[in-house]
Structures are given as structure tokens and as C-alpha cells.
Amino acid sequence: MSFGPPPSMYTQSALAAETDEKNRRRKWLLGVLVVVLVAALGTGGWLLWGGGGAGSTTSGKPLATGQGPLDVRETVEKKPASATGKMAFRFSVDDLSPGEEYRMPGMWATDKILAKGINKTVIGLRIGTDAVPGDEKWKLPLGGPICGYTRHVTNDNRTAVLYRANDRGGAYCNHVAFFDLDDGREVWSTDFPYSRFGDAKGLATGGEDQDTPSVTLVHGTVVVTWGGGTDAYSMKTGERIWETTSTGSCQDMGAAGGGALLVRQQCWHDGAALGSTDATTYKARKVDPKTGKVLWTYSAAKGIRDLNIPSAEPPVLAVQAGEIGISEMLSLNADGKTRAVIRLQNGTYVGECSFDDFLTTDDCPTIAVGDDQVFLRSKDSGELINSNWVIGFDLATGHTTKKFDSGPGSLLYPVRMSGDKLLAVRVTDQHVMPSGLVSLDPKAATETPYLYFDLPDEADLMTMTDYNDIVVQDGRIFFGVKKVDGPAKGRPKWVYLVLGIESMAVKQST
């Protein structure tokens, strides 16, 4: 196995044994692109589609107005010179053995690097390569497995992960590392407190009983919640600049960053009937990222089963009132009061937030907030031919605004805002039509194609947001798995880990 024996990844012995084989397999993508495309035209693999164009693409370099290097990145993507897509990057393995399993939390991209968390290591791979384990431009080894991450990245291409104290079973998740995505350099790392599961504060008696910590970024600050409180660290120095303590029966369980800081609190009520939904309630608190001062607190109604925060600025909450899925979106005003309630009408509209073991309160991959609207997708309609639509809701009134139909045979999924435009992925059925990255303009109600492409058959499931990361950055779209499993039995397994698409107009560097 290329990854080496779990839980440690990329052991020297494994890499040394495979160096010669990797050298034979390593190829520059451009050199094999023509061969791949010729085969694809007959087999339904990689296809080119859409109108041609000359010149090089313009990538997502522009920043939101007033942003600096320590702000969370809000880049604005521009329409490529050509909407014809080509493979920009591939990361795969071909020797997964039966029973092997690797967690791959976190994926981030810059203009030159695709970074991926894998077990107890973060790796950086140069975009423009057909990569396998061993092709890393850099590796950041951690003291233990990654146990928390944030999708946020600063304008100077830095982000943070949490990791366990060591790689033994039950080790505490109590370390945070802030690192540079371009070169893999650890800017700083430190440990933070931990608390036991439940409504009592104090040290955990074992790793399985530990409250799940979380990490997020806001201007100049890395923020960690750990159950018993919240700690904030300077991005520049790693110095702890403030801390808060959970009070009473409420604990800090997750935080949303970006343009502001909202801390999610979970509260327990001993007097409630056993199994009652009233036993647990939720709050969202706006906190000054410079001082830790609580600016306001929003208390969710009793009976709410879960609360996520798709956007901290403007503040938008996603709440679950029933047994399954998000039932309502709530927009709040500058004082933390309810501004509008958007009901998802028993699943007519769909909002999805991360539900894995990592506490990423603001990771809601198909909910996009911007231009004073929240954008959701509808449920799939049609039996033989799928279709859906993306629809906007006004944050001031809760009323619907613009609706974008996918058309028959395809599905639209919101990805993120790009200025005042919404970027969405169009996924088509059976490779009959190309899939694509499109820009939706809420003001003009128009759709502009950015990239047309077709994923290989083996990568069809990588468009599923529940099990994969989808990142759009610098004119490219990346699909990356969150976990990889070996085959149940039989021969070693070959599998894609990350695929990247860019415009055909991009010139390859030499």
C-alpha cells in the first residue's frame, strides 16, 4: 500500500520500495492529454465540450473589497477565455489492499498547490501533475491523526487543522497547527484544553469521552472551541489572545468564521424527560474576534434537534426541527434578532451541512449566502430523467427571489458565492451531456458557463457532496474524497483521490 501501515502515513520504507515504480508511472498530464481524449471520445471517459476560445484564462485572483492578507479568502472567479474543460490535476492510488481505510479530512487549493489532509499528514501537490503518493511538493507531518479542520483559507494562503496528541487509540484531540499551503511550512502549533462529554466541565477520562473540538478562521485569528470554552490565537504568532469559559450547563460546540465569528452552544437540561427534545437546546453567540466579548446571543426554540451556521456574516442559521435534515433557515439582524424564517417545506428545498465526525459548524456545502440572499437547491424531481432547480431566498423577507432550472437530465448544486454571483455545479446523467461549472447571476437571472467537462465513469460519485469535497479556486474546480477504502477482497484497488478541471485556454508551464 502506497500510504504505509496505518495509522502512520508515508513511511520511508514504503516510499523507498515504490520510488522506481512511481518514476515509471509519473507523467505530465499535458503529454498524455491527446491520447486520453482520443480514447475518451470512444469510451465516454474524459471529454472536451463547449465553445473554444483563444488566450489564457483569468483565475480567481481578485479579492473582495477591503480584504487584507489576514482576512479569510473571498476570491472572485472570472469567466475563463474558453469554457472547454480539461484535466488540470489528478491524484490517485492503485494498490489499496482489502480492509485498508484512510480518512482524508480537508482539501484546499491555491493557484499552484492542491493540499489534502490524509490521516496524520497534510500533503501539498503541484497542480498540473498526474500524481501518486510520493509526488508531494511538501508534506506536513503531525503528531497524531487530524481530528478537525476548517474550509477557510486566508488571503496569504494559510489555514488550520486540529490533530491528536499521538497516534495511539483514544489520544486526545488537543493540538492546533496553522500552516502555509504554498510551501507546507508550519507557522505555529500549540495545544489547547479539552473537556469531558456532557454538561460538566473538566478533564476527560478518555479520548472517547472527549467533547468534539472545532477550528475556524476569522480576521487575524484562529478560533478553537473545545467544549469547556473557546480559545483564540493570533495568526501571526500563535499566542493565545483571549479565552472564554462555557457557563452553567451550556458548552461551546463549534464556531463559524469568515467575515465574523459566531460560536455555537449546546445546552443540557436535567429536568427534561428522558429522551425529550427539550433536554438539549442550542444558542448562537456573536463574539468579537479581537477580544472574545460576547456581542449578542440568539437562543433557538425548544425542540430544535440541531443547529449549524452556514454564514457568520450575514448571520444565517440552519436548524433541524424534525428527525431528518434541515427544516428551516433563519436570518438574523445586526442585534441577533430573527430577521426572516425560510421554511424548507418538508424537503421541497434541500440544505445540507457536514455530518461526519469532524465538528465543522459552518461547512454547509450546498448552502451559499451572499448578495443578501441564501441559495438552496430543490429536491430531485423526475423518475427516469432527473432535474431540479437552485432558488434564492431574500434574507430580509424570506421570500423567494430568482430560480434557476437545471433542465431535464441534469442537477444543479450550489458551491459558493463569487462576489455577487453564485457558482454552481451542473451534474448530468449518463454522460449524455457535459457536466459543468456555471455562474448564476441573481440580478440578471442568467447562467454563464465557466467550464464544461465530463468525469470518468470511475469518478461519477465524486460529485456527491456528502462524501466529497468540492473546491472552486483560481479558475479550477476540484473534487476530492473524504475517505478511501480498500476492496472487500480480491485484487488491489485503484481509485481517484482528487480530480481537478481547468480551462483549455490555460497554458501549461514548462
Side-chain angles (χ1 to χ4, degrees):
M1 167 58 194
S2 302
F3 288 162
S8 176
M9 292 205 52
Y10 300 107
T11 62
Q12 283 303 116
S13 59
L15 289 177
E18 296 173 352
T19 298
D20 292 340
E21 176 64 18
K22 286 175 184 172
N23 287 337
R24 288 193 294 269
R25 293 164 54 200
R26 186 181 296 116
K27 299 178 287 290
W28 289 104
L29 186 58
L30 186 61
V32 299
L33 184 60
V34 174
V35 176
V36 174
L37 290 176
V38 169
L41 290 173
T43 63
W46 285 90
L47 301 177
L48 295 183
W49 206 286
S56 61
T57 187
T58 51
S59 63
K61 286 297 186 182
L63 306 178
T65 303
Q67 283 212 311
L70 299 183
D71 285 309
V72 173
R73 185 174 67 186
E74 295 181 12
T75 49
V76 179
E77 301 293 319
K78 291 186 177 181
K79 181 182 177 181
S82 170
T84 302
K86 66 177 180 179
M87 193 189 300
F89 174 80
R90 183 176 77 175
F91 180 39
S92 60
V93 291
D94 63 3
D95 53 1
L96 279 172
S97 299
E100 286 187 309
E101 175 184 302
Y102 292 93
R103 305 289 295 272
M104 303 186 68
M107 184 173 78
W108 310 268
T110 72
D111 60 338
K112 297 181 177 63
I113 294 292
L114 187 287
K116 197 83 175 78
I118 307 179
N119 193 31
K120 58 182 293 185
T121 306
V122 184
I123 65 170
L125 297 155
R126 190 166 63 82
I127 295 170
T129 59
D130 185 3
V132 296
D135 291 339
E136 303 87 354
K137 181 178 180 181
W138 55 258
K139 291 187 294 182
L140 175 62
L142 304 169
I146 297 170
C147 51
Y149 65 95
T150 175
R151 297 184 70 175
H152 293 307
V153 175
T154 64
N155 283 323
D156 56 359
N157 292 335
R158 294 176 176 180
T159 192
V161 294
L162 307 181
Y163 61 96
R164 297 187 181 277
N166 53 62
D167 56 10
R168 295 191 296 272
Y172 299 124
C173 179
N174 66 340
H175 285 75
V176 55
F178 188 59
F179 63 97
D180 192 300
L181 290 168
D182 286 322
D183 58 16
R185 179 177 60 89
E186 181 182 277
V187 181
W188 52 262
S189 63
T190 187
D191 59 352
F192 57 86
Y194 45 91
S195 69
R196 69 184 184 188
F197 181 79
D199 60 0
K201 298 186 292 293
L203 298 183
T205 56
E208 297 301 319
D209 297 324
Q210 181 186 0
D211 276 322
T212 305
S214 79
V215 61
T216 195
L217 308 181
V218 66
H219 174 75
T221 310
V222 178
V223 179
V224 176
T225 68
W226 50 275
T230 298
D231 286 16
Y233 303 90
S234 165
M235 285 183 180
K236 290 183 176 180
T237 66
E239 177 186 3
R240 186 166 62 188
I241 54 178
W242 56 263
E243 59 183 316
T244 62
T245 302
S246 300
T247 57
S249 60
C250 295
Q251 290 185 294
D252 293 351
M253 299 289 286
L261 176 61
L262 294 186
V263 174
R264 170 185 181 263
Q265 283 201 324
Q266 192 169 356
C267 305
W268 288 266
H269 305 280
D270 294 335
L274 184 65
S276 168
T277 56
D278 292 342
T280 304
T281 58
Y282 295 89
K283 298 178 181 180
R285 311 179 83 179
K286 184 169 185 178
V287 177
D288 186 333
K290 295 180 180 179
T291 65
K293 178 182 178 181
V294 177
L295 304 177
W296 50 254
T297 299
Y298 172 86
S299 298
K302 289 184 177 180
I304 295 299
R305 297 170 181 262
D306 200 4
L307 180 149
N308 284 279
I309 309 173
S311 172
E313 181 58 42
V316 176
L317 311 181
V319 299
Q320 177 185 338
E323 293 186 0
I324 300 176
I326 296 168
S327 55
E328 295 174 343
M329 306 291 298
L330 309 176
S331 67
L332 308 181
N333 64 18
D335 298 318
K337 307 298 183 183
T338 301
R339 190 179 176 198
V341 178
I342 299 165
R343 293 181 172 83
L344 274 57
Q345 299 183 12
N346 294 321
T348 298
Y349 308 113
V350 181
E352 295 154 315
C353 293
S354 178
F355 61 88
D356 56 26
D357 294 336
F358 305 98
L359 185 53
T360 47
T361 302
D362 53 1
D363 185 3
C364 299
T366 61
I367 302 174
V369 178
D371 195 34
D372 209 34
Q373 299 177 73
V374 58
F375 297 92
L376 304 169
R377 68 178 180 93
S378 75
K379 66 179 180 181
D380 304 350
S381 62
E383 297 181 359
L384 298 178
I385 300 178
N386 284 324
S387 65
N388 75 340
W389 62 86
V390 167
I391 193 162
F393 294 87
D394 189 286
L395 293 182
T397 66
H399 297 158
T400 58
T401 55
K402 301 298 183 183
K403 177 181 177 181
F404 298 90
D405 285 296
S406 70
S410 66
L411 297 170
L412 277 173
Y413 296 93
V415 176
R416 71 168 174 89
M417 298 302 296
S418 176
D420 58 357
K421 309 295 191 302
L422 171 66
L423 298 178
V425 175
R426 178 184 294 280
V427 180
T428 60
D429 288 341
Q430 305 300 321
H431 303 271
V432 174
M433 298 180 295
S435 295
L437 174 67
V438 299
S439 174
L440 307 178
D441 187 337
K443 292 185 173 66
T446 57
E447 176 180 325
T448 302
Y450 273 25
L451 289 173
Y452 286 119
F453 56 88
D454 192 30
L455 296 180
D457 290 335
E458 299 87 350
D460 274 349
L461 297 182
M462 294 181 76
T463 59
M464 298 178 63
T465 56
D466 289 348
Y467 306 104
N468 304 279
D469 291 309
I470 300 177
V471 172
V472 176
Q473 186 61 38
D474 289 290
R476 304 180 180 97
I477 182 168
F478 299 91
F479 302 89
V481 302
K482 293 183 177 181
K483 187 176 75 168
V484 61
D485 298 295
K489 59 182 179 179
R491 300 176 62 184
K493 182 180 180 180
W494 175 86
V495 65
Y496 286 113
L497 303 180
V498 183
L499 288 176
I501 312 286
E502 68 185 2
S503 170
M504 194 63 167
V506 175
K507 297 179 179 179
Q508 296 291 325
S509 60
T510 57

